[in-house]
Amino acid sequence: MNLSKTYTPSDHETKIYELWENNHTFTPKNRGSKKSFSIVIPPPNANGNLHIGHGLGFAVEDIAVRYHRMKGEASLLLPGADHAGFETWVVYEKHLAAQGKSRFDFTREELYSQIWDFVAQNKDNYETQFRQLGASVDWTRYTYTLDKKIVKQAYSSFKKMWDDGLIYRAQKLVNFCTYHGTGFADIEVSHKESKGHLWHIRYPLSDGSGEVVVATTRPETMLGDVAVAVHPKDKRYATFVGKTVRLPLSNRDIPIIADDFVDMKFGTGAVKITPAHDQNDYDMSERHDLPRISIIGHDGLITHEAPEEFIGLDVVSAREKVVNVLIAQNLLERREEIVHNVGHCYKCGTVIEPLLREQWFIDTTPLAKEAIKTLKTNEISFHPTVKKKQLITYLEGLRDWNISRQIAWGIPIPAFQSSQDASKWIFDERVTKESITVDGVVYHRDPDVFDTWFSSSSWPYATLDYPDGKDFATFYPVSVMETGADILYPWVSRMIMLGLYNTGAIPFETVYLHGLIQDEHGQKMSKSKGNVVNPIDKVLKFGSDAFRMGIISGESAGNNRPYDESKVVGARNFCNKLWNIARFVQEKIEDDLASSEPNPISDADHWLLSKLQHTTEVVTKDLDNMRLSEAYDTLYHFVWDDFASWYLEASKISPNLSILKFSLSSILKLCHPFAPFITEAIWQELAWSDELLIISPWPTIPDASKPKAKKFEDLTYIITEIRQLSKAMNLSKPNIIHQSATIEDNADLITNLARTGSIALTDQGRGLKLTSAKQHVWLDIPDEVLTSYSKKLVERQQEQIKLIANFEARLSNKSYVDHAPQKIVDDTKQSLSDAKAVLETLEDELKRLS
RNA sequence: GGGCGAUUAGCUCAGCUGGCUAGAGCACCUCGUUUACACCGAGGGGGUCGGGGGUUCGAGUCCCUCAUCGCCCACCA
């Protein structure tokens, strides 16, 4: 074996990943075992590069899967890629624009196939990045969201809902982006506070007996007004209800109606009603049976429904012109500045227009009801728990889901419209045909595609070959759904609804939501701000293991967190520590290939074994509960502080090869889920190891002698105190005298670790007595030297006095002694007597000095 | 307008069901070439856990309230 001084990740990572892959270690084994563990990866956009959120997500997922794999469970991490309908569409449109073209230059089929190729070009890139991050995904089960089985599932979900009457087609208001030319679900609209105006416009009564002043933020929509509404109890307008006003500009007579919805306190208390361009007004039109006049088209321009002079204007120009005409006719009473919420397209920022359009909708009421019921019975656990409550609240207020999208890139909706009766639609999967003939009637294909979230709602079981696949039987429900907290509503909620609806079972047992990684200043990362941290850059710079440990360090479910490179650096250093620990152990063991069971002899051996046992228990429990950061922290300190700083140092005096071997092996196993590459790289170098670390069993640690472990523990306190005192008094190799067999037995150890001079037994103590352990140990120093330390002694004396007062007060409180658990009271008594002993020692020394 | 979260060392954060004489990493200070590691070793300084009130023998941890910051949802024209 020949390990270099520092660990160089790039020398190993590619080779190690190939080693795992070539040995098919990612494909689940032990299918017959009682337990299985599965995670299906939230498929990243096949077209894009992985971002830091994926880096975090994969780290969490891969740690969990590697742990369960080592526990001997059939473990699956299923990789995938998302065609990401709208997201990719946006990218491709930019790509077209760069070539001076647009979507209007091609047919839908042409676009679809062009984008297919465009995405395929990036596939290699994408898979390379998965490998660089060390994700132990089973490539044989790689699934693309446009794979046949996923499309098939989308169609069968659609058909089932159609048959169950949950799918309906209706002309309703749709959130429409006029730039991208497509509608969105409510949840995809991004609301932003914007400055605007509230315009007060005079609407004269048709009979000339007066006027009603309405207040609106969108004067141009008055071209589509069909009524004016007031509150039924509003005395100001009581006599107006039932009359009509002559709508300015359009010169139509429209009724004044009464409706509870109107807020008397807002504006003038009179609202103009434009059902085709406002959700509230639409709802009111349903209640009062009002017509709907669309005056803004899907192109964002004023339609022919409007008066001649406005036709073809965009919304902004139309607004300006309407206002000018109103001013000219003296119909504008005043203008008020206000701040209100306006919906925007989350991609391009265009103001979303609510427009009338025929779309496919899912009646979500029964689906949400089932989901809420399931959530309330705690069948699915959440990290963090608070998200479940939020999800229930969201589902309780859910509106029907518009699943039609007017883009070319996506799964075509398998529905055809009758050429004879526009209201008649049939389900048919022959979507590659523009029209089909059924029973002599010609039907035309719906040109729209599904909302991507609709097909991805079935991801947990469609990937596992629902309903008949072996994987479905073994791995469903998925053990952990790990994803970003930001897609709780659009994705997680729908997977639960659709999973229950389609399979009759929960889609996953646990939801783990990670927060957003922000830049180092807590700002959201975005390309436009130029503050994006590329995970692959960090992998190349610090190593894959360092990146993943750095990124999960401090991770707590659901919390957003700034990227902290110092954690990655710390993790890189930790990797190097592991490397050098291995070098040291290998050097001691040399070619001793005899495999031997751990055979603890010295106090240090017992101490190390008991620490290792405790660490293993804690780490196992934390991993079971997805407390990854805590597990990592525990391991880090065990490896660095207990094993390297104490045990290895002690081993320099008298090495126990069996314990060195056993503990290094155990450490590599425990660290493997967190740092897969370096642990495997070391494992492959070890003379005594066999097989592959990735599939070796999770460690079990034998019991050690508690009293012996305690003896070493005391030694660590004594050594630390000697170091402290030496430093404080600037001593070089102080001599030690004592009356302790433990010290006698471990004199060499103390000499080396505490850098002391001679160590000798004594009848009579002198110098400075140590206070950290029960053994009688003195630093053999003259009183003159001790005097220099007296100030510190007084400080320590004061501390002890305070402590003692504290403990005594507690123990003299009868309520405390009566109510607190016995163990707590005993501990306090122990602490008190310890503190008193320390104080006594300190006071003796001070007395002598004075 | 509703809902949720956060506020602990200079920075980023742990602290799960109340027992803490409050922790970690980084940063900072001092010393150190002891043959695994300077991506290191040893030692050290630094916090009245946002303010106020309450429950309790005991509160960073539970409750109320205020303040500040953040996120999400919502149809105030």
Side-chain angles (χ1 to χ4, degrees):
Chain A
M1 145 139 169
N2 187 13
L3 297 180
S4 61
K5 236 178 170 182
T6 50
Y7 171 65
T8 312
S10 55
D11 291 348
H12 304 274
E13 292 181 357
T14 311
K15 277 188 276 181
I16 293 290
Y17 197 92
E18 279 171 11
L19 181 69
W20 291 328
E21 247 190 306
N22 294 340
N23 283 281
H24 313 292
T25 55
F26 303 155
T27 300
K29 305 287 186 317
N30 307 324
R31 223 188 241 276
S33 67
K34 262 179 276 169
K35 289 184 106 180
S36 67
F37 184 84
S38 57
I39 293 181
V40 290
I41 282 182
N45 187 340
N47 177 56
N49 286 311
L50 298 180
H51 57 66
I52 196 144
H54 295 120
L56 171 61
F58 289 178
V60 171
E61 294 152 18
D62 195 54
I63 288 169
V65 167
R66 283 178 187 271
Y67 162 65
H68 286 274
R69 190 183 289 125
M70 291 175 81
K71 292 232 301 188
E73 298 167 21
S75 301
L76 172 65
L77 185 58
L78 189 146
D82 191 357
H83 71 283
F86 181 62
E87 305 280 327
T88 303
W89 175 244
V90 169
V91 173
Y92 194 72
E93 274 209 309
K94 277 187 198 150
H95 176 75
L96 281 181
Q99 299 172 343
K101 293 184 179 152
S102 85
R103 63 179 187 262
F104 302 110
D105 296 329
F106 305 97
T107 66
R108 189 176 98 171
E109 270 73 17
E110 285 167 343
L111 283 170
Y112 189 90
S113 105
Q114 283 170 23
I115 299 175
W116 183 280
D117 295 341
F118 180 70
V119 170
Q121 283 169 11
N122 290 301
K123 194 165 176 266
D124 286 350
N125 181 38
Y126 167 92
E127 290 180 9
T128 303
Q129 293 183 355
F130 261 74
R131 290 177 161 87
Q132 285 175 307
L133 288 167
S136 60
V137 294
D138 183 1
W139 289 105
T140 67
R141 286 172 166 83
Y142 173 87
T143 309
Y144 183 41
T145 54
L146 293 179
D147 281 353
K148 222 176 244 166
K149 65 180 177 188
I150 303 298
V151 174
K152 211 179 124 205
Q153 179 57 51
Y155 287 175
S156 83
S157 298
F158 186 71
K159 177 71 164 52
K160 183 168 150 75
M161 289 184 175
W162 179 303
D163 292 343
D164 288 348
L166 295 179
I167 293 278
Y168 65 94
R169 186 156 177 99
Q171 192 189 54
K172 295 218 286 190
L173 277 187
V174 172
N175 308 297
F176 206 84
C177 170
T178 54
Y179 174 80
H180 285 117
T182 186
F184 292 110
D186 293 340
I187 194 164
E188 291 170 302
V189 177
S190 148
H191 291 274
K192 279 185 233 162
E193 275 208 337
S194 329
K195 279 186 192 164
H197 300 290
L198 193 58
W199 313 80
H200 295 245
I201 306 170
R202 297 194 178 100
Y203 281 17
L205 290 170
S206 305
D207 61 13
S209 65
E211 64 180 19
V212 178
V213 178
V214 300
T216 179
T217 54
R218 302 198 56 187
E220 73 281 8
T221 61
M222 69 184 284
L223 302 172
D225 280 0
V226 298
V228 169
V230 297
H231 195 277
K233 288 187 184 149
D234 196 332
K235 287 180 188 136
R236 292 172 294 179
Y237 301 111
T239 59
F240 291 66
V241 176
K243 293 185 175 180
T244 60
V245 291
R246 167 59 55 110
L247 180 64
L249 312 184
S250 305
N251 293 319
R252 285 185 276 114
D253 288 325
I254 57 174
I256 299 170
I257 59 175
D259 193 289
D260 284 343
F261 169 78
V262 179
D263 181 353
M264 287 192 269
K265 291 187 210 96
F266 190 89
T268 60
V271 192
K272 57 190 266 332
I273 301 302
T274 321
H277 301 288
D278 183 281
Q279 186 63 48
N280 292 323
D281 296 2
Y282 179 90
D283 293 347
M284 203 168 302
S285 75
E286 289 206 305
R287 289 196 292 272
H288 297 271
D289 197 23
L290 297 167
R292 294 160 194 153
I293 305 174
S294 288
I295 53 101
I296 301 170
H298 292 105
D299 51 8
L301 306 180
I302 303 300
T303 68
H304 287 81
E305 300 273 2
E308 185 70 36
E309 53 185 320
F310 298 100
I311 295 170
L313 293 178
D314 63 61
V315 169
V316 175
S317 318
R319 179 176 305 173
E320 205 173 314
K321 185 155 186 180
V322 165
V323 168
N324 285 336
V325 175
L326 289 174
I327 291 171
Q329 297 184 7
N330 194 28
L331 291 172
L332 188 70
E333 195 192 62
R334 64 194 178 93
R335 195 184 79 171
E336 201 180 315
E337 311 244 319
I338 59 158
V339 173
H340 62 149
N341 262 326
V342 180
H344 292 77
C345 171
Y346 74 101
K347 269 292 167 199
C348 67
T350 303
V351 172
I352 292 289
E353 289 293 343
L355 299 181
L356 275 182
R357 192 180 177 97
E358 253 200 37
Q359 310 268 284
W360 293 106
F361 288 86
I362 293 177
D363 174 6
T364 53
T365 312
L367 301 175
K369 206 176 138 196
E370 269 309 301
I372 291 165
K373 206 172 101 190
T374 303
L375 288 170
K376 285 189 173 165
T377 54
N378 286 322
E379 284 177 58
I380 303 174
S381 67
F382 280 71
H383 300 273
T385 48
V386 69
K387 293 289 178 185
K388 180 160 76 180
K389 208 165 68 185
Q390 289 177 17
L391 187 54
I392 291 172
T393 309
Y394 168 75
L395 287 169
E396 283 170 345
L398 196 60
R399 294 175 84 113
D400 285 354
W401 176 11
N402 161 23
I403 53 169
S404 297
R405 293 295 178 275
Q406 293 72 49
I407 55 178
W409 183 235
I411 299 175
I413 295 178
F416 289 74
Q417 184 177 32
S418 164
S419 57
Q420 294 178 357
D421 175 0
S423 71
K424 187 169 184 221
W425 288 79
I426 56 168
F427 174 90
D428 200 293
E429 294 188 14
R430 285 175 282 170
V431 293
T432 53
K433 304 198 167 167
E434 282 206 46
S435 58
I436 56 174
T437 306
V438 177
D439 295 334
V441 179
V442 175
Y443 289 84
H444 297 294
R445 181 180 68 187
D446 181 351
D448 290 350
V449 299
F450 283 128
D451 175 4
T452 309
W453 295 115
F454 174 71
S455 49
S456 59
S457 297
S458 295
W459 192 243
Y461 45 92
T463 51
L464 297 174
D465 302 334
Y466 171 77
D468 303 319
K470 216 169 138 192
D471 279 356
F472 181 74
T474 309
F475 296 114
Y476 192 83
V478 163
S479 309
V480 179
M481 174 46 65
E482 194 286 338
T483 191
D486 55 331
I487 49 177
L488 174 66
Y489 299 149
W491 197 38
V492 177
S493 70
R494 286 152 178 181
M495 282 192 287
I496 295 173
M497 288 192 288
L498 274 272
L500 290 169
Y501 176 69
N502 276 320
T503 72
I506 52 169
F508 28 72
E509 288 156 357
T510 297
V511 175
Y512 184 98
L513 298 164
H514 63 250
L516 203 67
I517 303 281
Q518 303 150 326
D519 76 0
E520 55 264 44
H521 308 294
Q523 296 293 308
K524 190 174 173 173
M525 286 187 193
S526 75
K527 277 183 199 152
S528 55
K529 282 190 215 154
N531 60 352
V532 174
V533 175
N534 177 351
I536 300 301
D537 288 350
K538 301 305 172 189
V539 165
L540 294 176
K541 185 167 177 196
F542 299 106
S544 191
D545 297 326
F547 173 74
R548 77 151 78 192
M549 289 191 282
I551 204 77
I552 62 112
S553 169
E555 157 69 10
S556 101
N559 282 351
N560 292 349
R561 199 158 43 93
Y563 171 72
D564 184 355
E565 189 147 299
S566 74
K567 291 203 159 117
V568 180
V569 171
R572 189 269 319 262
N573 296 349
F574 180 60
C575 288
N576 201 52
K577 195 74 186 177
L578 282 170
W579 188 251
N580 279 289
I581 282 169
R583 288 179 65 212
F584 176 85
V585 174
Q586 281 285 55
E587 207 169 83
K588 288 285 170 213
I589 291 176
E590 292 179 340
D591 296 328
D592 178 3
L593 291 178
S595 76
S596 52
E597 291 301 301
N599 178 24
I601 299 163
S602 68
D603 296 341
D605 295 341
H606 285 278
W607 176 84
L608 193 268
L609 269 190
S610 71
K611 286 272 184 192
L612 179 58
Q613 188 181 52
H614 181 246
T615 300
T616 304
E617 279 167 14
V618 170
V619 168
T620 302
K621 199 173 153 212
D622 280 341
L623 284 172
D624 283 335
N625 293 306
M626 294 295 286
R627 293 167 62 86
L628 308 187
S629 178
E630 289 81 354
Y632 167 65
D633 193 61
T634 302
L635 266 176
Y636 178 97
H637 288 287
F638 168 72
V639 170
W640 203 305
D641 302 340
D642 297 339
F643 188 69
S645 296
W646 284 110
Y647 188 72
L648 286 194
E649 291 304 323
S651 291
K652 289 176 181 173
I653 312 303
S654 58
N656 177 335
L657 300 191
S658 79
I659 300 294
L660 282 174
K661 265 189 195 176
F662 177 75
S663 47
L664 177 61
S665 300
S666 303
I667 284 169
L668 292 176
K669 289 178 179 188
L670 292 172
C671 290
H672 179 76
F674 300 91
F677 288 108
I678 188 175
T679 51
E680 186 74 78
I682 294 170
W683 188 262
Q684 293 306 318
E685 294 283 344
L686 294 178
W688 73 85
S689 67
D690 52 9
E691 297 235 336
L692 293 165
L693 181 61
I694 184 175
I695 47 169
S696 67
W698 195 242
T700 48
I701 314 297
D703 290 334
S705 153
K706 288 265 164 1
K708 287 185 178 177
K710 176 73 173 76
K711 270 200 210 167
F712 187 80
E713 183 86 12
D714 279 353
L715 280 177
T716 66
Y717 297 149
I718 289 165
I719 289 166
T720 301
E721 190 175 2
I722 296 172
R723 286 167 175 169
Q724 283 167 343
L725 295 170
S726 299
K727 179 84 177 175
M729 286 178 278
N730 202 17
L731 307 173
S732 172
K733 306 210 168 192
N735 294 332
I736 303 293
I737 52 176
H738 66 92
Q739 297 166 349
S740 154
T742 309
I743 304 292
E744 185 73 2
D745 293 345
N746 292 284
D748 284 350
L749 186 74
I750 296 169
T751 310
N752 275 273
L753 296 199
R755 316 251 101 211
T756 67
S758 68
I759 295 183
L761 273 166
T762 185
D763 296 334
Q764 182 72 47
R766 60 175 181 272
L768 179 63
K769 190 172 187 213
L770 304 190
T771 55
S772 56
K774 296 253 162 67
Q775 280 89 351
H776 300 296
V777 186
W778 293 264
L779 272 187
D780 188 10
I781 51 171
D783 285 352
E784 305 90 81
V785 177
L786 189 51
T787 308
S788 72
Y789 190 63
S790 62
K791 199 174 142 206
K792 186 75 188 171
L793 282 175
V794 173
E795 273 173 33
R796 293 188 56 201
Q797 180 196 27
Q798 295 311 314
E799 276 169 27
Q800 293 301 315
I801 290 170
K802 255 172 78 182
L803 254 183
I804 288 166
N806 190 336
F807 291 139
E808 279 179 339
R810 208 180 294 175
L811 287 167
S812 65
N813 181 338
K814 195 167 177 311
S815 276
Y816 172 72
V817 179
D818 291 348
H819 289 103
Q822 194 56 43
K823 179 162 189 322
I824 301 287
V825 177
D826 289 346
D827 285 354
T828 307
K829 284 180 182 162
Q830 185 61 50
S831 300
L832 176 61
S833 83
D834 290 350
K836 277 182 170 168
V838 170
L839 180 63
E840 203 177 316
T841 306
L842 292 170
E843 286 183 338
D844 280 354
E845 276 151 4
L846 282 168
K847 205 185 290 168
R848 215 171 60 238
L849 287 176
S850 59

